[in-house]
Amino acid sequence: MSTNPYHIPMSIRVRFAPSPTGYLHIGGARTALFNWLYARHTGGTFVLRIEDTDDARNTQEAVDVILSSMRWLGLDWDEGPTTGDASAAPKGDLGPYFQSQRRDIYQSHIDKLLAADKAYEQDGAIKFRMTREPVIIPDMVCGDVNRKLTAREEADPDFVIVRSDGKPVFHLVNVIDDLEMGITHVIRGEDHLSNTSKHIQLFKALGAECPKYAHIPLILNGDGSKMSKRDRGASMTTYMEEGFVPEAVINYLCLLGWSPKDDRQKMNLQEVIDIFDLPQILRHNARFDMDKLVSLNGQYLAELDSETYRTLAENSLKQSGITLESFPTEYVQAAIDSTAGKLKQVSEIKDYAVFYFQNPEEVEWDAEASAKLLVMENHAPISALRDAFDALEPFNAESVQGAFKSTAKELGVKVGALVNPVRLACTGKTTGPSLYHLIEILGKDRVIGDINKALDRMQGNA
RNA sequence: GACCCUAUCGUCUAGUGGUCUAGGACACCGCCCUUUCACGGCGGUAACCCGGGUUCGAACCCCGGUAGGGUCGCCA
């Protein structure tokens, strides 16, 4: 026995054990994250195990999605599958890491339980002789939980560990794997708390010490209801497809059910690793707030290097049906660069910058703004500006800005009086990238054409 | 129905008996900055679920309600 007063094993081993029945749920992602953080904080080992015992619901695609989601989030595992192929060589010595490959291991334990009369056969299934006493569940988040029997369990506390079709059930395989894989801390969703009494008894029957438990609260919808597949934000796939910044998603997840205890919100992973620990995990469920995630995402987006930002932006633009290939590379880059630091989500870029990639006649003016800005009294000033543009050489952001200022001064109007109608003329909107830069990118011909069209409208509105 | 967990602004949270006329962030509102928007800055609205105790003193401790969530499967 060590002299360590907390009896913390030398090497901590934790695991994330998803069942491949669909995408990676945001709650699952956070469970994975908390396990990962604990492993990294303690210098321990993070194991990924695929619990694919339900052939009716498991799919290969789901396995691949889980692995790619984990990788996207940056949650690397020290042991586990290297690919979605269950027969491929894994990383780590305690595999296989797919439960579907571990039948022999389960069978030997089942035989032992049967031989010791700790389990028995009934109707072709095998049932475990469960205690009739309450079970104390020591939990690092919830404290000691005194799990009494429910009415149903009072009637028959024993439960099935092997189905009549010969397949072992979750409770059994989960415990055997944690035992065989030397898992020291089980960090999982609170939905497993009640069932932990079964697991503790199973460990005992198998002649093993049970691991330490930490049941973390669940993530609920904004209205407090349970998050299901349909709910926006529930699937990690959404974040990958919509071009979220993985660091932002991770940062947000850290703040759900855990807190650095000071006023920090935006934290990099290393900062979190340094101070993350199990006892500070909150005990109550948290509601998912897309607004806050998006806000955080905007902060990370603004800090991205231009290369990464361009890639994200290009993908988003292509996804929304814009054929970037028909534009010069420099033009596309300049257009994208003019949106940098402006968006909270890259997926907003379509609405924000679509005018760059439309034919002038496709740009639709916002009706309300058009009625307000494209009026006859703006005709003279804007045509004066048009003439100034016409004579401008070179035609760039700097010279354009000069033309705005000098024209405004000559006419005795505010720059804004010229800026707003021109922005509408060129982009169709009242918001967007820096007008001077956008005008340079669009080029003189296009801009003068847009302005002329707006001048016609002013006369038409008269 | 039984059993378990939980309860601070709309949301995420800080707070572990006095320093709380309860702090921060998102969202919202106002002002400033500004070529629009966003950013940034300043300010504002907004919370201790209810009822009993314990105590000189309770958001913090205890009990009871209530509410939300979870579990009771030959699903995981």
Side-chain angles (χ1 to χ4, degrees):
Chain A
M1 223 45 210
S2 77
T3 55
N4 182 332
Y6 303 105
H7 305 293
I8 293 175
M10 286 303 287
S11 182
I12 283 170
R13 293 177 57 84
V14 294
R15 48 62 167 185
F16 176 54
S19 173
T21 56
Y23 57 87
L24 180 59
H25 187 271
I26 191 164
R30 189 186 55 161
T31 300
L33 170 64
F34 282 13
N35 275 282
W36 184 90
L37 282 170
Y38 192 57
R40 296 296 171 257
H41 175 76
T42 58
T45 304
F46 178 53
V47 178
L48 177 62
R49 179 173 79 223
I50 304 297
E51 305 219 332
D52 55 345
T53 53
D54 184 352
D55 337 296
R57 296 198 303 152
N58 296 151
T59 66
Q60 182 59 48
E61 191 194 359
V63 175
D64 296 335
V65 165
I66 287 168
L67 298 192
S68 66
S69 299
M70 296 274 292
R71 289 192 171 113
W72 184 78
L73 286 166
L75 302 178
D76 57 319
W77 50 97
D78 306 304
E79 293 178 24
T82 51
T83 75
D85 179 2
S87 60
K91 189 174 167 187
D93 302 326
L94 297 173
Y97 295 92
F98 285 82
Q99 288 186 330
S100 56
Q101 311 292 309
R102 299 173 63 81
R103 297 297 300 274
D104 294 348
I105 297 170
Y106 304 139
Q107 193 54 54
S108 68
H109 285 95
I110 293 164
D111 292 343
K112 271 186 267 176
L113 289 175
L114 250 14
D117 195 35
K118 286 173 175 164
Y120 59 93
E121 202 176 323
Q122 186 182 80
D123 300 326
I126 297 174
K127 292 180 82 174
F128 178 69
R129 291 194 199 281
M130 180 64 174
T131 176
R132 295 187 134 272
E133 299 302 310
V135 176
I136 304 285
I137 304 168
D139 189 278
M140 294 177 79
V141 172
C142 301
D144 285 356
V145 174
N146 186 6
R147 172 62 227 277
K148 302 190 193 83
L149 305 215
T150 64
R152 194 191 164 90
E153 289 164 343
E154 289 282 4
D156 177 17
D158 298 351
F159 58 93
V160 170
I161 53 175
V162 181
R163 296 184 278 220
S164 52
D165 64 5
K167 288 190 190 125
V169 305
F170 162 76
H171 299 299
L172 209 231
V173 295
N174 187 268
V175 162
I176 291 175
D177 287 344
D178 284 344
L179 172 60
E180 291 283 339
M181 293 182 182
I183 299 303
T184 59
H185 292 70
V186 171
I187 305 168
R188 64 190 359 173
E190 194 200 85
D191 49 339
H192 289 292
L193 181 56
S194 291
N195 281 328
T196 302
S197 55
K198 293 188 176 81
H199 302 173
I200 288 175
Q201 291 307 113
L202 241 15
F203 271 107
K204 264 191 192 158
L206 259 14
E209 288 273 314
C210 55
K212 306 244 185 266
Y213 291 100
H215 286 91
I216 66 182
L218 273 18
I219 300 176
L220 273 24
N221 283 319
D223 64 2
S225 61
K226 186 176 179 174
M227 262 191 134
S228 69
K229 300 182 207 309
R230 303 268 169 104
D231 296 309
R232 166 144 178 84
S235 164
M236 290 313 304
T237 311
T238 306
Y239 304 106
M240 294 191 277
E241 285 175 351
E242 293 186 12
F244 276 74
V245 182
E247 288 81 0
V249 177
I250 283 280
N251 193 153
Y252 177 70
L253 251 21
C254 286
L255 264 19
L256 272 191
W258 177 86
S259 153
K261 305 294 183 193
D262 52 32
D263 291 339
R264 278 178 292 177
Q265 306 283 329
K266 185 164 178 293
M267 299 178 74
N268 67 44
L269 225 24
Q270 190 55 53
E271 288 177 89
V272 180
I273 289 171
D274 289 343
I275 61 172
F276 183 86
D277 208 349
L278 267 13
Q280 344 155 346
I281 292 175
L282 275 323
R283 278 162 276 261
H284 59 268
N285 294 343
R287 298 180 185 204
F288 177 76
D289 182 4
M290 186 58 106
D291 281 346
K292 186 154 183 171
L293 202 189
V294 166
S295 165
L296 225 29
N297 190 67
Q299 293 179 50
Y300 280 87
L301 208 50
E303 288 177 10
L304 247 35
D305 62 274
S306 58
E307 196 61 30
T308 310
Y309 180 70
R310 279 176 191 164
T311 307
L312 236 36
E314 280 176 23
N315 289 342
S316 183
L317 254 9
K318 284 178 188 164
Q319 257 181 43
S320 60
I322 294 171
T323 48
L324 297 179
E325 297 76 16
S326 48
F327 298 89
T329 311
E330 308 78 56
Y331 178 83
V332 173
Q333 272 189 7
I336 287 174
D337 288 352
S338 76
T339 68
K342 299 284 200 170
L343 310 174
K344 290 186 174 179
Q345 302 181 72
V346 265
S347 57
E348 294 166 357
I349 199 170
K350 156 103 196 273
D351 282 344
Y352 196 76
V354 67
F355 65 89
Y356 280 121
F357 309 105
Q358 288 174 314
N359 290 321
E361 57 274 14
E362 288 176 329
V363 176
E364 279 182 40
W365 290 324
D366 176 81
E368 201 179 319
S370 167
K372 191 178 156 199
L373 296 170
L374 303 187
V375 292
M376 208 47 206
E377 58 197 280
N378 280 336
H379 192 276
I382 298 299
S383 51
L385 184 70
R386 189 261 328 265
D387 295 343
F389 280 178
D390 218 357
L392 213 51
E393 197 60 48
F395 190 80
N396 58 38
E398 201 183 339
S399 66
V400 163
Q401 178 172 5
F404 267 105
K405 292 212 164 137
S406 58
T407 305
K409 198 174 178 185
E410 279 165 31
L411 270 38
V413 298
K414 287 185 177 175
V415 179
L418 301 176
V419 160
N420 293 321
V422 173
R423 174 182 294 285
L424 182 66
C426 295
T427 71
K429 296 188 180 60
T430 55
T431 64
S434 161
L435 183 62
Y436 306 144
H437 291 87
L438 134 202
I439 284 175
E440 175 184 334
I441 295 165
L442 252 17
K444 190 193 275 191
D445 291 350
R446 156 90 182 247
V447 170
I448 286 182
D450 286 345
I451 292 178
N452 282 334
K453 205 171 72 165
L455 289 170
D456 289 347
R457 170 62 74 90
M458 289 179 195
Q459 283 177 321
N461 281 354

